[in-house]
Amino acid sequence: MCMAPAPAPAAAASTSNPFNVASTLPFQAPPFDKIHETDYQPAIEEGMQQHLAEITTIADNPEPPTFDNTFVAMEKSGAMLTRVMMAFEGVAQANTTDGLQKVQEIEAPKLAAHRDAIELNSKLFARVEAVYNQRDSLKLDPESLRLVETTYRDFVRNGAKLSDADKTKLKDLNKEESTLSTQFTNKLLAGTKAGALVVDDKAKLDGLSDADLEAAAGAAKQRGVDGKWVVVLQNTTQQPALQDLNDRATREALYKSSWDRVEHGDANDTREMIERIAQIRAAQAKLLGFPNYAAWKLDDQMAKTPDTAIKFMQNLVPAATARAGREAKDIQSVIDQQKGGFKVQAWDWEHYSEQVRKAKYNLDEAQIKPYFEIDNVLQNGVFFAELPSPFELLLTPSLDSSSRTIASMASTSLALPKPGSAAIVSEMSRQSSGSGGGPVPLPNSTSISAAISCGSQACRWRTNAACSAAWPAGSSTPTQAVHVVAGAGGSVRGVCAEDWPRAGWEGEGGRAAAPGSMTRDVEWGEGSPRLASSCRSERR
């Protein structure tokens, strides 16, 4: 991605800003070859202005409220803001920069205020409520009825029925919570990077593979500590290296570096921030009529109440603790047999669990890992697998005889140098049946969920239903693109194209082993749950 210094106050989006108009790529996927880091903030600002102007027009409409002039109009509003936020959030989560983090911190309270300006707009809510109250007599189709009910519910849950005084309090709380949550994420990222374990004696890393040692030496060089090794922290408490490290003191140091990464009393310490966020959330919930934040957040979820969620977890405790107790006994037995002279601790667990697996089950993870190499997972896993029935039900109906692309996916399979707290799957172009020419992957607004796990800790699949196969211009990040194509007779044909742009691409925690490209064609016959596959691979 094109790098830029920390942004100055945003100017209006220029006429050349790529977010000004809808993308011409399939499914209006973001044109990353045209997007620069400096385009995001002005586009966000302009997008918010346009969106509020559109919402004001809807709220001030002198015509009686109807489904079309209220709900459909709202659905079509904010197109520019949606375009920029989907691209911005995807890139900021997957491979953030100091500049993008700065934009996040500047825009977070503004975006919170923007949401409040819509959801706490009394005139707009009056129109929403009027249609909602008439919903049973409007003869709406199920999708439209669902839209009316969920929109009304969300307005109410977010404060639309509060008094003006309480709305003002809620707005202030929302702005502060949004600001602190963004700062928390950035502090966690900074703490994770700063918390990496620096080792000055190679012997302390005994047990790591040559590739891991090479990566640790490379990370040290990048940080200006040549001649040492840096074990980079992953965004988890248990670190992968704990399984392989033979030196117990090094395991303990690595575990504690991970556990305490943002608890050092420095600029990255998040404890006071967490306490304040908890206070704000409790105040938000109380204003909205809920006993606590958990009750508010679970109100529209499957569990519905905190008691249900807690009971579900409590029901797991007896079996989980019993299993953990058996595992601890097995691990301690190995330690004692080796005359270790210590009681098992958290930093020992992964290391000795692997030895227990080998002893009890003749299971060696080192022998399994090669099967989860990215090419092998794509060729023999993702595109040659039993598909769950929901996927079959989504794809077989309503496909015409013409071959047409119905979805696109892009991903990167390496741990990037500055990963954010990315979800496994994100959408970068929203499926819609009423967006005036927007993406419609399937007729009747049927949505595709292309949530694919690649079996690699570093892997991040980047899309849900429709996304660009291109990564930002100038990036050396390896990507995979998956295109799902509807074929004749209701069959589905998918094409996976993998490209390593540069040999030996390196970043902290990841490296592309070799340059090359791979394409894979798969076909799924109507009614058949298994993909028939063929593959051709080219190495440059």
Side-chain angles (χ1 to χ4, degrees):
M1 185 195 307
C2 180
M3 302 294 290
S14 67
T15 55
S16 61
N17 192 301
F19 293 110
N20 280 338
V21 296
S23 170
T24 58
L25 294 176
F27 309 120
Q28 296 182 5
F32 283 119
D33 58 330
K34 298 180 176 65
I35 297 171
H36 297 86
E37 191 167 295
T38 51
D39 291 325
Y40 289 113
Q41 191 177 11
I44 292 171
E45 299 272 357
E46 178 65 24
M48 286 190 288
Q49 290 183 26
Q50 290 183 15
H51 194 196
L52 281 183
E54 293 162 349
I55 291 296
T56 299
T57 299
I58 297 168
D60 291 343
N61 189 341
E63 298 294 326
T66 66
F67 176 76
D68 286 333
N69 70 21
T70 302
F71 286 85
V72 174
M74 287 171 60
E75 283 290 289
K76 291 183 177 181
S77 68
M80 180 176 181
L81 184 60
T82 298
R83 285 195 297 270
V84 63
M85 289 307 299
M86 283 189 167
F88 175 70
E89 289 176 349
V91 173
Q93 287 177 344
N95 193 24
T96 192
T97 67
D98 293 340
L100 293 178
Q101 287 181 312
K102 187 66 175 177
V103 172
Q104 285 178 309
E105 292 193 13
I106 292 171
E107 297 301 326
K110 296 181 181 180
L111 288 164
H114 177 75
R115 289 189 293 271
D116 286 340
I118 297 171
E119 293 175 335
L120 302 181
N121 184 320
S122 298
K123 293 172 69 175
L124 180 64
F125 178 65
R127 297 182 68 85
V128 169
E129 187 173 37
V131 177
Y132 174 80
N133 289 337
Q134 304 171 52
R135 66 191 185 283
D136 292 335
S137 63
L138 297 178
K139 298 181 180 179
L140 298 171
D141 62 73
E143 183 179 8
S144 299
L145 179 60
R146 174 69 175 168
L147 177 64
V148 169
E149 291 176 341
T150 56
T151 301
Y152 174 81
R153 179 200 65 197
D154 291 344
F155 267 75
V156 173
R157 291 186 73 257
N158 292 324
K161 289 190 172 184
L162 294 178
S163 67
D164 288 343
D166 283 345
K167 284 181 179 179
T168 299
K169 293 178 184 178
L170 184 61
K171 288 177 183 179
D172 291 339
L173 290 170
N174 289 347
K175 287 177 66 175
E176 185 179 2
E177 196 270 346
S178 179
T179 298
L180 291 177
S181 294
T182 301
Q183 291 174 353
F184 171 83
T185 299
N186 291 340
K187 283 179 179 287
L188 179 59
L189 181 58
T192 298
K193 183 175 182 179
L197 182 66
V198 180
V199 179
D200 56 11
D201 183 357
K202 188 177 181 180
K204 294 180 180 179
L205 299 178
D206 179 53
L208 294 187
S209 67
D210 291 342
D212 289 336
L213 289 171
E214 184 180 357
K221 184 176 181 180
Q222 288 179 347
R223 293 171 184 238
V225 285
D226 290 8
K228 298 184 179 183
W229 294 262
V230 170
V231 181
V232 179
L233 296 183
Q234 303 296 321
N235 196 22
T236 54
T237 301
Q238 291 284 358
Q239 300 297 308
L242 291 172
Q243 177 176 297
D244 300 320
L245 287 167
N246 291 321
D247 186 81
R248 189 169 190 246
T250 304
R251 292 200 305 271
E252 181 178 0
L254 178 60
Y255 180 88
K256 290 183 175 179
S257 292
S258 175
W259 186 269
D260 300 330
R261 67 184 72 182
V262 286
E263 296 183 4
H264 296 296
D266 57 7
N268 298 324
D269 197 302
T270 61
R271 286 172 290 185
E272 289 185 6
M273 184 177 290
I274 291 172
E275 183 177 351
R276 178 55 187 157
I277 291 174
Q279 293 170 351
I280 292 170
R281 290 178 172 180
Q284 289 171 320
K286 185 177 179 180
L287 266 178
L288 294 166
F290 292 88
N292 51 57
Y293 183 77
W296 176 31
K297 285 300 176 182
L298 289 173
D299 177 61
D300 63 343
Q301 302 298 310
M302 184 182 296
K304 296 297 182 185
T305 67
D307 287 344
T308 302
I310 291 172
K311 185 176 185 298
F312 174 78
M313 290 184 284
Q314 287 175 334
N315 289 341
L316 297 176
V317 170
T321 54
R323 176 61 181 267
R326 292 194 298 269
E327 291 181 359
K329 185 178 179 180
D330 290 339
I331 290 172
Q332 191 62 54
S333 177
V334 172
I335 293 172
D336 294 343
Q337 289 173 14
Q338 296 177 2
K339 303 186 184 304
F342 57 85
K343 293 295 183 182
V344 61
Q345 299 294 328
W347 45 87
D348 302 315
W349 200 277
E350 293 300 318
H351 182 69
Y352 287 99
S353 289
E354 175 66 8
Q355 296 184 38
V356 169
R357 284 192 290 269
K358 289 181 181 178
K360 293 187 68 173
Y361 311 112
N362 194 27
L363 180 62
D364 185 353
E365 189 165 316
Q367 295 179 350
I368 299 173
K369 284 181 178 180
Y371 292 96
F372 290 93
E373 185 270 335
I374 185 62
D375 278 359
N376 194 47
V377 170
L378 286 172
Q379 294 173 23
N380 299 312
V382 174
F383 291 101
F384 193 84
E386 294 290 343
L387 298 178
S389 58
F391 195 74
E392 179 178 352
L393 291 173
L394 284 175
L395 289 179
T396 53
S398 305
L399 297 181
D400 57 33
S401 59
S402 62
S403 181
R404 58 194 176 89
T405 300
I406 58 175
S408 181
M409 172 185 290
S411 75
T412 176
S413 58
L414 296 185
L416 302 176
K418 296 186 69 176
S421 54
I424 295 177
V425 178
S426 300
E427 61 178 352
M428 287 191 180
S429 182
R430 182 164 293 165
Q431 182 269 334
S432 172
S433 61
S435 59
V440 187
L442 283 179
N444 303 323
S445 300
T446 307
S447 178
I448 301 174
S449 178
I452 300 177
S453 171
C454 71
S456 169
Q457 180 183 4
C459 184
R460 287 177 173 81
W461 292 98
R462 293 307 316 139
T463 70
N464 187 316
C467 178
S468 173
W471 204 251
S475 172
S476 59
T477 305
T479 62
Q480 293 85 40
V482 180
H483 305 277
V484 183
V485 181
S491 65
V492 172
R493 174 177 175 271
V495 179
C496 171
E498 176 186 309
D499 181 36
W500 300 114
R502 189 172 75 204
W505 179 88
E506 294 184 44
E508 289 185 1
R511 177 185 175 116
S517 67
M518 179 273 288
T519 61
R520 183 170 186 76
D521 295 338
V522 294
E523 292 187 359
W524 180 34
E526 185 173 12
S528 171
R530 177 173 288 279
L531 293 170
S533 61
S534 61
C535 179
R536 58 182 182 276
S537 181
E538 299 175 358
R539 288 292 178 191
R540 293 192 294 271

